[in-house]
Amino acid sequence: MGGSDIVVGGPRLGPVDALDRQIIAALRANGRATYADLGRKVGLSASAVHERVGKLEATGVIVGYHAVVDPSAVGLGVTALVSIHPTDTADDDELALSLGELIEVESCYRVAGDESFIVKVRVATVDDLERSLGRLRRIPGVARTRTTVVLSTRFEGRPNTAAGEPEGTA
């Protein structure tokens, strides 16, 4: 993994059309692409692409840009998915805030089912994972956890911008 990634999400005031989806897909592939590069890919002028990207940012469809980093290259070779079962009196918002304070928690998902949250944890070693799980279990509102250690990642963060259509169609 490497390069940069575009973060997409949030409410939109109008529909996202096929050109917007093409622009988003191109930005997800290369968040550093110029407006001219994007224009060539989607068949618009650089100024038209600039205007569309500005609208996508202003309406919250594009919420940011960031570098995509290989976790093992920065010493984070262990990934685990941790299901969090709350206590009966736990407040989901407070629990989520507390989970966000743990630097090793990379992602936090509110889910349906017996657990309330599933978090993705990245650490350097299994010993670090054990210490992280101890901190996580001491958070008020956490009744118990279930941990799945990731053996390998086949793909992650794959863009899904085509609204149900396979990429390359539209």
Side-chain angles (χ1 to χ4, degrees):
M1 282 188 280
S4 60
D5 198 12
I6 182 174
V7 183
V8 179
R12 168 97 171 160
L13 299 177
V16 175
D17 66 18
L19 280 173
D20 289 337
R21 284 192 197 95
Q22 289 177 16
I23 292 168
I24 291 167
L27 283 170
R28 289 190 101 169
N30 179 6
R32 300 175 91 179
T34 66
Y35 294 124
D37 292 338
L38 294 170
R40 281 189 289 277
K41 285 186 184 255
V42 302
L44 293 176
S45 68
S47 61
V49 169
H50 182 261
E51 183 177 331
R52 280 180 175 260
V53 169
K55 286 180 183 175
L56 291 167
E57 291 170 346
T59 57
V61 174
I62 297 175
V63 296
Y65 302 83
H66 66 271
V68 178
V69 177
D70 179 350
S72 62
V74 293
L76 300 175
V78 177
T79 302
L81 304 175
V82 183
S83 298
I84 299 169
H85 299 260
T87 61
D88 291 337
T89 59
D91 178 274
D92 284 347
D93 292 334
E94 290 177 17
L95 188 52
L97 285 172
S98 295
L99 292 167
E101 292 175 5
L102 298 177
I103 193 161
E104 58 270 78
V105 173
E106 182 177 293
S107 302
C108 178
Y109 306 97
R110 174 75 170 96
V111 297
D114 291 336
E115 58 270 318
S116 284
F117 296 96
I118 296 177
V119 295
K120 182 183 350 177
V121 173
R122 290 200 200 261
V123 292
T125 67
V126 173
D127 289 339
D128 291 334
L129 177 60
E130 184 176 11
R131 284 188 286 279
S132 294
L133 292 172
R135 284 191 299 276
L136 199 149
R137 289 185 189 115
R138 287 190 295 276
I139 292 174
V142 173
R144 68 185 196 283
T145 62
R146 186 184 77 228
T147 303
T148 302
V149 176
V150 175
L151 298 177
S152 66
T153 301
R154 304 302 180 171
F155 61 86
E156 180 173 61
R158 184 173 70 174
N160 180 1
T161 57
E165 300 170 14
E167 251 188 68
T169 65

